Amino acid sequence: MGKPTGFMEITRKDAPAISPAERVGDWSEFGIRLPDSELQQQGARCMDCGIPFCQTGSTTGSGKALGCPVYNLIPEWNDLVYRGKWREALNRLHKTNNFPEFTGRVCPAPCEGSCVLGLIDKPVAIKSIEQAIIDKGFEEGWVVPQPPDRRTGRKIAVVGSGPAGLAAAAQLNKAGHWVTVYERADRIGGLLMYGIPNMKLEKGVVERRVKLLEAEGITFVTGTEVGKDLSADELRQNFDAIVLAGGATKPRDLPIEGREAEGVYFAMEYLHADTKSLLDSSHADGKFISAKDKHVIVIGGGDTGTDCVGTAMRHGCATVTQFEIMAKPPEDRAENNPWPEWPGIYKLDYGQEEARAKFGDDPRQYEVMTKKFATDKKGRVKELHTVQIRWVIGEDGRMKPEEVEGSARVWKADIVLLAMGFTGPENPLLTAFGVEQDGRSNVRARYGDFSTNVEGVFAAGDMRRGQSLVVWAINEGRAVAEAVDKWVMR
Ligand code: FAD
């Protein structure tokens, strides 16, 4: 622990950002790194707690997250940063996390929710420090390919190149196995590439890591859908083990009157096309759904919805509104959401900040239920019909929505984006391998050994646990690699 009194003397300082009004003018990341001296001060706020809840990576009985899912050695690297030992800090960080440049940018930071200092003050700025360590590492040229010294001769196929597939590939390659990653999209990265928008995670950051992995000996094959372009049998014949890391991107639909209207899209149709067009041609090819001068309604108040808001803002939408079915969260932790659980409190994420800067208010409308899409004569969406709801306890003791009488409302809409979450993995890949699914339609494979009902076929990431977080995908990728290594070397 660098400075025993640091937490009493130094206040938290977050990394600054380009103002919301200015940053919507382009698609670049908008965070600004604090100077080294200030980051060192922030590291000094860490108390090196006897029990560092920040790095526990577990869940409570009620399923709430506690601490870092990849067990980052947070107090250790906070101390090293405080002492100016950035390179050692980077080595500590890479011990637990293959891709801190991703988590440092997009992780919601459950570590900070569990920071002991958070009990009496603002938590340590862990996420900003993590990003600074790795960004500095790249700038200084400390992050270089590290191919394994020897090869085992075993061959592993990884299906899907999101953070779970990439982490599994990185670890298996490190163990000396020959790894080939198959990806159906034209670029590697899964939702890091074609889900999370560029302003949150610049795609050059993803490509930089992929180049390193390639230089370490991993083979990447894009534009190949396993189960369609390449059969499951072929893969099983040519590889000693297979890791399925295809994600969970089957979108939840809203089958109400008018759903077939033109102008109603799934969020991922909007986000994927936008990033692809941005990367292919800086949007010059026009192969994206433009929200310019349009009235946009996003149904769904989560992260995907926020990314739709941020994207629509950059297109220059006329208005943007975001519907959330749940009640507005409290400003402070609720009694049933104590530290060190992830705090379910109200916050303005980047997209909402940007909408507020332009239109004057948080675009979210809470406890709104959409009843109907109304169309014009050409079948294009023109309005959304909603009611206000309230949450009440039903006869079975569970919360259920109840419509508020007289609350019907009509909203003007040219584009509607459905961002209501995901119901599980897409089936063709699973059918091709004959793997069993659980009650939530995810691949049935126990955490720890990750094996499916098909011998030699393993599953990890969202495909196994359901739509989650990048940091959990990295956790699962690392853990499945350990299980596969044991299996192929048995
Ligand atoms: P994915 O990232 O989904 O990757 C799966 C890959 O498998 C895809 O590239 C897919 O094309 C490929 N694939 C599927 N089937 C096949 C096949 N048959 N053959 C070949 N390839 C196949 N998490 C955060 O922590 N922070 C965020 O800010 C955040 N923002 C998000 C924003 C959006 C819009 C979305 C949708 C999710 C977000 N998440 C965020 C969640 C996070 O991105 C995912 O939990 C994570 O990417 C899951 O990783 P994965 O590797 O399991 O799967």
Side-chain angles (χ1 to χ4, degrees):
M1 179 180 185
K3 186 161 197 208
T5 52
F7 71 97
M8 294 190 285
E9 294 164 15
I10 304 159
T11 49
R12 176 177 166 122
K13 197 160 185 188
D14 285 304
I18 297 171
S19 78
E22 190 185 340
R23 70 194 186 217
V24 294
D26 64 56
W27 298 85
S28 306
E29 284 181 7
F30 48 81
I32 302 167
R33 197 159 97 209
L34 286 169
D36 284 2
S37 57
E38 295 211 38
L39 285 159
Q40 287 176 243
Q41 290 289 299
Q42 292 301 304
R45 294 184 74 233
C46 179
M47 303 188 294
D48 192 17
C49 304
I51 298 175
F53 286 89
C54 57
Q55 65 182 50
T56 47
S58 54
T59 41
T60 60
S62 57
K64 303 241 175 66
L66 301 183
C68 176
V70 288
Y71 321 112
N72 272 341
L73 303 164
I74 294 163
E76 294 184 31
W77 41 257
N78 276 336
D79 177 45
L80 289 164
V81 165
Y82 169 63
R83 293 169 195 280
K85 296 184 173 179
W86 289 89
R87 192 161 188 171
E88 285 90 332
L90 178 66
N91 292 340
R92 296 313 274 167
L93 182 51
H94 263 151
K95 273 193 189 304
T96 55
N97 188 349
N98 302 72
F99 314 125
E101 68 274 32
F102 306 156
T103 47
R105 284 170 167 76
V106 306
C107 191
C111 52
E112 294 190 12
S114 302
C115 171
V116 179
L117 188 50
L119 276 170
I120 52 152
D121 195 350
K122 290 197 174 142
V124 176
I126 302 169
K127 184 174 160 180
S128 302
I129 296 175
E130 178 182 29
Q131 185 181 341
I133 296 171
I134 182 67
D135 284 358
K136 198 176 176 63
F138 275 109
E139 282 158 22
E140 298 288 338
W142 297 333
V143 190
V144 291
Q146 292 179 318
D149 297 334
R150 55 171 193 96
R151 289 287 174 183
T152 62
R154 307 292 195 280
K155 287 165 67 190
I156 322 283
V158 175
V159 184
S161 69
L166 291 180
Q171 292 296 99
L172 286 162
N173 183 60
K174 214 176 255 184
H177 309 307
W178 289 113
V179 183
T180 305
V181 178
Y182 292 95
E183 170 56 57
R184 68 180 169 190
D186 62 340
R187 289 182 171 90
I188 295 294
L191 292 174
L192 297 169
M193 179 58 68
Y194 282 136
I196 301 171
N198 200 66
M199 54 276 189
K200 223 177 150 187
L201 173 62
E202 281 182 6
K203 303 313 157 195
V205 172
V206 181
E207 284 160 355
R208 179 177 65 185
R209 181 59 75 171
V210 173
K211 279 205 185 98
L212 271 168
L213 295 174
E214 250 170 346
E216 289 175 347
I218 298 172
T219 304
F220 289 98
V221 182
T222 52
T224 302
E225 182 167 348
V226 173
K228 193 172 140 208
D229 306 316
L230 184 64
S231 77
D233 282 347
E234 230 172 301
L235 224 56
R236 292 187 67 194
Q237 275 158 24
N238 292 327
F239 292 92
D240 297 293
I242 296 157
V243 177
L244 302 181
T249 44
K250 201 194 286 172
R252 179 167 288 115
D253 206 346
L254 188 57
I256 55 171
E257 190 183 334
R259 167 63 183 89
E260 69 293 341
E262 197 186 311
V264 181
Y265 305 98
F266 286 119
M268 286 305 299
E269 292 177 77
Y270 179 64
L271 295 173
H272 184 123
D274 189 79
T275 300
K276 180 155 166 54
S277 175
L278 174 71
L279 297 178
D280 285 354
S281 68
S282 303
H283 286 132
D285 62 10
K287 292 182 181 169
F288 64 101
I289 302 156
S290 175
K292 187 161 175 48
D293 300 329
K294 301 271 171 61
H295 297 283
V296 178
I297 294 190
V298 179
I299 304 183
D303 285 346
T304 305
T306 299
D307 290 335
C308 291
V309 172
T311 302
M313 288 303 299
R314 281 160 181 75
H315 285 162
C317 60
T319 60
V320 62
T321 310
Q322 190 177 9
F323 292 165
E324 167 61 67
I325 189 88
M326 301 308 292
K328 186 176 178 182
E331 298 285 338
D332 296 307
R333 280 180 186 275
E335 257 177 43
N336 63 355
N337 176 214
W339 177 92
E341 285 179 4
W342 171 248
I345 54 174
Y346 175 79
K347 70 178 168 78
L348 268 187
D349 208 335
Y350 79 102
Q352 289 102 32
E353 264 184 0
E354 292 163 358
R356 186 179 64 172
K358 183 158 180 197
F359 303 119
D361 213 350
D362 182 340
R364 283 170 293 187
Q365 300 283 330
Y366 292 93
E367 295 180 300
V368 170
M369 186 185 275
T370 309
K371 305 286 279 187
K372 169 178 147 180
F373 301 104
T375 55
D376 64 14
K377 283 190 192 130
K378 291 188 172 158
R380 286 183 304 227
V381 68
K382 62 168 189 175
E383 286 165 355
L384 254 66
H385 293 219
T386 67
V387 289
Q388 205 67 35
I389 56 126
R390 65 169 83 89
W391 289 93
V392 295
I393 301 174
E395 278 163 17
D396 57 1
R398 298 164 79 165
M399 298 300 284
K400 61 167 196 171
E402 184 182 83
E403 290 184 19
V404 176
E405 223 173 283
S407 64
R409 190 169 165 186
V410 177
W411 308 74
K412 190 169 169 38
D414 305 311
I415 291 184
V416 179
L417 302 168
L418 304 179
M420 300 172 302
F422 300 88
T423 57
E426 293 162 42
N427 274 329
L429 175 64
L430 309 184
T431 314
F433 280 95
V435 298
E436 283 174 5
Q437 291 166 265
D438 64 18
R440 295 190 305 142
S441 88
N442 300 319
V443 176
R444 191 188 295 284
R446 197 176 52 80
Y447 185 91
D449 72 15
F450 297 94
S451 57
T452 67
N453 58 306
V454 182
E455 198 179 26
V457 178
F458 298 75
D462 281 3
M463 186 155 244
R464 195 201 68 82
R465 67 184 294 125
Q467 184 71 222
S468 180
L469 292 176
V470 168
V471 70
W472 274 112
I474 297 173
N475 164 307
E476 294 225 352
R478 292 172 65 87
V480 75
E482 203 179 322
V484 170
D485 177 58
K486 267 191 206 138
W487 194 78
V488 294
M489 299 304 282
R490 68 198 183 284

